[in-house]
Structure formats: C-alpha cells, structure tokens
C-alpha cells in the first residue's frame, strides 16, 4: 500500500490549506485514516483520525480549526486547515490502517510527508 500526500506549502497566519492523501495498491479494506504531524525538533503527534464510517477525532490543538474527511471510493483522506497558526508548522503525514490480500491482517501505512509552514 502506498500513500501519496499533497497540498502542503507556505501560508500566512490566519490562512488555509487543504491536504490530500490517496492510498493505492492491493487493498482489501481501509479502516481508520488519519493525519499526524512532526514539528521541528519535536516528536510526531496526532492531528486527526477518521473511521471508515466517518467518525472523527481531533487533537485539542486543532479542534474547531481543522476538518478531516475521507472518500472511501477513492481511498483518500483530506485535511482542511483553517485559521492556521505558526505553531501548526510541521511535516504532515497521512496514515492508513489497511488490510491487504497478501496478509489479511491490519497493517499501518504512512505517506511520505508534506511540509506545512505558517509564517507570522
């Protein structure tokens, strides 16, 4: 399973960005999908997750500003980010819990990361 993320960039504080991530490969089913981020010099942290049924969960730091969504037909997950702050600057990674026909077990897959930089 390959995850391809896109949509990062440089934006001023208060601005918006939309991240996209598409999963490809031999996939039986994708359970939860999500976004994580790694700020400079810090550990990777959860941003938001969404189940196959659409139930979402957000980190406290992004509640009310970020919205996660997914398109199951396209094996894709999105992150709409609004009211961006300099502290949102990080490399953003998409994640998927997927079942493949090779193993029929749930494995964790990661995208390559996309840089989001918010200037003050």
């Amino acid at each position: 399973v390959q995850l391809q993320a896109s949509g990062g960039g440089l934006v001023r504080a208060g601005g918006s960005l939309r991240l996209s991530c598409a999963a490809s490969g031999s996939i039986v089913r994708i359970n939860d999908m999500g976004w994580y981020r790694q700020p400079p010099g810090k550990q990777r942290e959860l941003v938001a997750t969404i189940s196959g049924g659409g139930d979402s969960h957000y980190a406290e730091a992004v509640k009310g500003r970020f919205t996660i969504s997914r398109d199951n037909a396209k094996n894709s997950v999105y992150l709409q980010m609004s009211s961006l702050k300099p502290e949102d600057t990080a490399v953003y990674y998409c994640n998927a819990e997927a079942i493949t026909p090779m193993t029929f077990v749930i494995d964790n897959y990661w995208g390559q990361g996309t840089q989001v930089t918010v200037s003050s």
Side-chain angles (χ1 to χ4, degrees), residues 1-119:
V1 177
Q2 296 80 41
L3 297 179
Q4 182 67 45
S6 62
L10 173 63
V11 65
R12 289 188 176 183
S16 299
L17 280 176
R18 185 174 188 255
L19 305 183
S20 300
C21 177
S24 61
S26 297
I27 300 170
V28 174
R29 186 177 77 243
I30 298 178
N31 291 344
D32 287 2
M33 301 186 81
W35 291 94
Y36 292 71
R37 68 186 182 187
Q38 187 165 14
K42 297 183 179 181
Q43 292 186 335
R44 191 174 299 188
E45 61 188 23
L46 169 73
V47 176
T49 60
I50 185 168
S51 70
D55 294 326
S56 57
H57 169 78
Y58 296 92
E60 285 295 326
V62 306
K63 278 185 179 178
R65 300 188 298 120
F66 290 11
T67 302
I68 190 170
S69 60
R70 66 187 283 174
D71 184 333
N72 291 331
K74 295 181 179 180
N75 288 335
S76 294
V77 63
Y78 310 95
L79 187 68
Q80 178 66 47
M81 305 183 293
S82 302
S83 301
L84 282 161
K85 304 175 181 180
E87 50 263 45
D88 294 319
T89 294
V91 178
Y92 284 70
Y93 297 90
C94 59
N95 172 269
E97 296 179 347
I99 300 172
T100 68
M102 281 72 75
T103 64
F104 279 97
V105 298
I106 299 173
D107 282 322
N108 219 14
Y109 297 91
W110 293 91
Q112 82 284 9
T114 184
Q115 176 71 46
V116 172
T117 302
V118 184
S119 63

